[in-house]
Amino acid sequence: MSKSNPTPVAPAANFIRNIVEADLAAGKYALRRWAGRPGLAEAHAQAPLDPARIRTRFPPEPNGYLHFGHAKSICLNFGLARDFGGRCHLRFDDTNPEKEEQEYVDSIVDAVKWLGFDWQDEQENNLYYASNYFPWMLQCAEYLIAAGHAYVDSQSAEEMRANRGTLTEKGKDSPFRNRSIAENQDLFKRMQAGEFADGTHVLRAKIDMASPNINLRDPAIYRIRHATHHNTGDQYCVYPMYTFAHPIEDALENITHSICTLEFEDQRPFYDWLLERLAEGGLLQRPLPQQYEFSRLNLTYVVLSKRKLIQLVEERHVAGWDDPRMPTLVGARRRGYTPQGFQLLMDRVGVSKNDALIDYSLLEDCMRETMNEQDERRIAVLDPLKLVITNYPEGQSELCQAPNHPLKPELGKRDMPFSRELWIEREDFMEAPSKGYHRLYPGNMARLRYGYVVKCTGCEKDDSGKITAVLCEYLPETRSGTPGADSVKVKGNLHWVCAAHACTAEVRLYDRLFKTPSPGAGDTDFLTELNPDSCRRITAQLEACLKEARPGQRFQFERHGYFVADPIDSKAGAPVFNRAVTLKDSWGKTGG
């Protein structure tokens, strides 16, 4: 621990968890009071002790859809509150009137709940909007003016930028920095009253224009914006800057550990300065929130830049924000990814200050692990080829049985119709087999999984020479589950569906959206690195029972991977399936 950075960074996988444990052991927040809702110090002064041992928050700005990176923050903040007897608040940081919409608010609420977290229980409902704190923020700003810690600056944006200085040059004081307290108070009231045009004045904190940290060179804390806000309408024409609003929001909500990503590390000195000034004035209760920074989730084969994601959508490189190839949580949900898979990924990635690049295969492995545990098995033939059992009676059928989940016998078995004509995978037959090939070829035997052993007798072709059907004879005594099942030893084991009962359906084979690990790295255009095979649509033959799959229902298609009935495009009796992930990672071996 150094004097310049008092935050200890533990070598463990989650250094913030270590900080929380130390704070609780020291009783750091044991005497905090909580009025049951956010407020200034006077509201909490006579309230009971806070029943939450810690308070964290997830504070998204409702100006877009959440992506994989947000999942890390959600799991971290809600997970810490859950594990340490605390509360996590969902706070919409809606202080910008020009970019926020109710559509995004609704999608964020759905995403957090889908990941398995909630901000409400029998005692508390901790869903908040920063815009509801505007009166308190104005009160804080007016206190700073009265205490000589803030002033109204009338420079243009260009002049302010020029006088701010650089990393190697000190800034210059504004010519308006020494306005009297009375003049600043008058101007700020007139700003609130709407007398001035946008950009005419800003309210700035008065700190130190010579500070080596540019963020302490009199940062702007209020600006004029004549814009309609989604929550407060036209009530205000001045709005707080994010760096001013955020620490106040934390303090009003009794947040103990304010957890941010690394780009906010340079802002922490202003965070602390502001809260100290307001606590000195009696507006905020102590102990004050403390900010801690962690590294973002950075994945290969993905872009998480909001600008780039918007470009993908607006230029129609994808079908929308919920396109299953998009690294958004709505896209992940539609693709069939699981909340448990994201939570497992975050546990394995850990929390540190190291900006590491995580291979996308780790995310896919986490999804496979959770899906393997959860998903019932079904059979699908993705590249169908007709198989005709020539010695099976025409018009006859029977039911074979297959387990719904090999790891969960309590889920029982399902019936699979079996008859003379079946669908098998085209790759399961070779007229001239390669070395080591154990499936069907003339003269060879293989087992139809859950059914019979069959012997290939030949094939049929069309005029172009394309194989249209495989011909076989079955061995009646070899039915699976009977004493004769092991009487004939074979090496090949084939998946099949009954042609007469099969469900014909569209299946979408999704893969990574980009073909390079770091799209857009250096000076490259990230759009040139889009994977042209990131979505292939095929017509497949599925097990009959899959016709009744519900939108959003997920299965393991034996041999092929994990699939979900598309939540939007699937209709009753006509499902459309999306591949979430293959059974094993083949990206490095096949290139896609």
Side-chain angles (χ1 to χ4, degrees), residues 114-334:
W114 175 70
L115 280 174
F117 300 106
D118 209 333
W119 48 88
Q120 183 175 2
D121 58 26
E122 294 178 357
Q123 287 77 39
E124 296 185 12
N125 180 5
N126 291 305
L127 175 63
Y128 301 115
Y129 292 84
S131 56
N132 289 334
Y133 307 156
F134 283 165
W136 290 323
M137 292 181 192
L138 286 170
Q139 189 175 341
C140 291
E142 289 164 355
Y143 165 76
L144 292 176
I145 294 173
H149 296 311
Y151 64 96
V152 175
D153 193 351
S154 304
Q155 294 182 98
S156 68
E158 292 74 17
E159 290 171 329
M160 288 179 62
R161 194 176 299 114
N163 290 332
R164 195 182 186 201
T166 66
L167 293 174
T168 57
E169 295 179 356
K170 297 178 181 179
K172 299 177 183 177
D173 285 357
S174 164
F176 305 100
R177 195 174 195 267
N178 294 318
R179 276 175 163 155
S180 68
I181 290 175
E183 185 179 3
N184 286 319
Q185 290 173 325
D186 176 66
L187 283 169
F188 191 54
K189 286 181 180 177
R190 292 166 63 192
M191 288 167 62
Q192 295 178 59
E195 289 189 26
F196 306 115
D198 290 5
T200 308
H201 306 287
V202 296
L203 182 66
R204 299 177 70 178
K206 186 186 287 188
I207 307 179
D208 181 7
M209 288 300 293
S211 173
N213 185 337
I214 291 181
N215 297 294
L216 294 179
R217 295 180 187 174
D218 293 8
I221 59 177
Y222 258 97
R223 57 184 175 157
I224 301 171
R225 279 290 183 276
H226 292 273
T228 301
H229 190 279
H230 80 100
N231 184 29
T232 60
D234 296 320
Q235 184 177 353
Y236 300 98
C237 54
V238 295
Y239 290 94
M241 304 299 289
Y242 176 83
T243 51
F244 174 79
H246 185 74
I248 294 174
E249 295 159 17
D250 285 346
L252 293 171
E253 295 180 18
N254 243 18
I255 300 303
T256 57
H257 300 81
S258 179
I259 304 168
C260 307
T261 45
L262 281 176
E263 67 265 30
F264 293 100
E265 189 169 29
D266 289 343
Q267 292 285 355
R268 194 195 326 151
F270 177 64
Y271 183 102
D272 295 339
W273 178 91
L274 176 62
L275 294 186
E276 280 295 333
R277 300 293 81 74
L278 296 175
E280 289 169 1
L283 277 76
L284 304 178
Q285 73 163 329
R286 297 181 186 273
L288 296 165
Q290 283 197 252
Q291 177 177 305
Y292 303 94
E293 305 86 18
F294 69 100
S295 63
R296 286 176 173 269
L297 178 67
N298 298 305
L299 287 169
T300 56
Y301 299 96
V302 161
V303 295
L304 297 179
S305 156
K306 186 172 291 185
R307 176 185 61 81
K308 291 180 179 179
L309 294 177
I310 290 172
Q311 188 176 353
L312 287 171
V313 173
E314 291 185 346
E315 295 181 4
R316 300 184 182 278
H317 299 288
V318 292
W321 288 100
D322 64 349
D323 188 306
R325 296 167 294 177
M326 285 283 279
T328 55
L329 294 185
V330 288
R333 187 175 184 177
R334 188 173 178 186

Side-chain angles (χ1 to χ4, degrees), residues 406-417:
L407 305 178
K408 298 181 178 181
E410 68 275 12
L411 294 179
K413 296 184 177 182
R414 67 190 187 279
D415 292 330
M416 290 181 58

Side-chain angles (χ1 to χ4, degrees), residues 367-385:
M367 294 301 164
R368 286 188 192 96
E369 189 166 326
T370 58
M371 293 175 189
N372 183 56
E373 173 68 22
Q374 297 173 9
D375 296 355
E376 290 193 10
R377 276 43 169 177
R378 297 292 185 268
I379 293 178
V381 176
L382 302 188
D383 188 10
L385 175 62

Side-chain angles (χ1 to χ4, degrees), residues 513-528:
L513 185 57
F514 293 94
K515 58 187 178 182
T516 56
S518 301
D523 296 327
T524 60
D525 178 359
F526 79 106
L527 294 176
T528 65

Side-chain angles (χ1 to χ4, degrees), residues 25-81:
K28 183 174 181 178
Y29 299 104
L31 300 180
R32 287 177 307 118
R33 297 184 178 275
W34 174 242
R37 60 189 181 279
L40 297 172
E42 59 184 5
H44 298 296
Q46 302 304 316
L49 294 176
D50 193 337
R53 298 179 74 207
I54 64 169
R55 286 187 185 269
T56 58
R57 81 289 173 273
F58 175 60
E61 183 180 0
N63 65 350
Y65 289 88
L66 300 185
H67 55 60
F68 292 178
H70 293 112
K72 182 176 181 179
S73 181
I74 293 169
C75 292
L76 174 58
N77 282 287
F78 279 93
L80 287 170

Side-chain angles (χ1 to χ4, degrees), residues 320-581:
W321 288 100
D322 64 349
D323 188 306
R325 296 167 294 177
M326 285 283 279
T328 55
L329 294 185
V330 288
R333 187 175 184 177
R334 188 173 178 186
R335 183 161 177 165
Y337 283 1
T338 67
Q340 297 83 358
F342 279 110
Q343 293 182 37
L344 182 60
L345 174 69
M346 303 318 159
D347 289 343
R348 290 183 176 171
V349 168
V351 179
S352 72
K353 293 206 172 202
N354 179 26
D355 245 342
L357 188 62
I358 306 301
D359 195 280
Y360 198 86
S361 62
L362 180 58
L363 170 63
E364 292 176 322
D365 285 342
C366 291
M367 294 301 164
R368 286 188 192 96
E369 189 166 326
T370 58
M371 293 175 189
N372 183 56
E373 173 68 22
Q374 297 173 9
D375 296 355
E376 290 193 10
R377 276 43 169 177
R378 297 292 185 268
I379 293 178
V381 176
L382 302 188
D383 188 10
L385 175 62
K386 184 68 67 69
L387 181 142
V388 180
I389 305 175
T390 56
N391 65 334
Y392 195 92
E394 290 192 44
Q396 180 175 311
S397 66
E398 59 186 287
L399 296 177
C400 297
Q401 286 199 316
N404 286 316
H405 198 303
L407 305 178
K408 298 181 178 181
E410 68 275 12
L411 294 179
K413 296 184 177 182
R414 67 190 187 279
D415 292 330
M416 290 181 58
F418 182 92
S419 62
R420 179 184 175 92
E421 294 190 357
L422 310 174
W423 292 111
I424 63 170
E425 293 289 347
R426 185 167 293 275
E427 67 179 10
D428 285 348
F429 173 78
M430 292 183 72
E431 193 172 14
S434 58
K435 185 178 180 180
Y437 187 80
H438 299 300
R439 301 172 197 173
L440 290 179
Y441 54 86
N444 194 46
M445 291 191 294
R447 173 168 291 282
L448 298 175
R449 189 169 172 83
Y450 312 122
Y452 295 92
V453 171
V454 293
K455 181 177 181 180
C456 181
T457 58
C459 65
E460 295 177 351
K461 302 179 183 180
D462 62 16
D463 293 341
S464 67
K466 181 180 179 180
I467 296 170
T468 57
V470 176
L471 305 178
C472 287
E473 294 180 349
Y474 85 118
L475 282 62
E477 70 278 9
T478 61
R479 176 174 164 143
S480 294
T482 68
D486 296 327
S487 61
V488 178
K489 301 296 183 182
V490 295
K491 293 184 177 180
N493 202 331
L494 313 184
H495 292 81
W496 56 272
V497 296
C498 178
H501 298 86
C503 169
T504 302
E506 178 184 339
V507 172
R508 299 163 182 171
L509 303 177
Y510 287 108
D511 211 326
R512 302 180 188 184
L513 185 57
F514 293 94
K515 58 187 178 182
T516 56
S518 301
D523 296 327
T524 60
D525 178 359
F526 79 106
L527 294 176
T528 65
E529 297 169 326
L530 284 167
N531 176 12
D533 296 320
S534 61
C535 177
R536 290 193 297 119
R537 297 169 185 258
I538 62 173
T539 299
Q541 299 295 332
L542 315 180
E543 222 182 295
C545 61
L546 287 170
K547 188 174 183 179
E548 306 306 320
R550 302 182 306 275
Q553 192 172 9
R554 208 176 51 245
F555 302 93
Q556 183 199 98
F557 287 177
E558 294 187 21
R559 177 174 173 175
H560 296 299
Y562 298 91
F563 292 73
V564 65
D566 189 284
I568 296 175
D569 294 338
S570 294
K571 308 299 179 188
V576 174
F577 282 94
N578 301 330
R579 183 172 68 189
V581 65

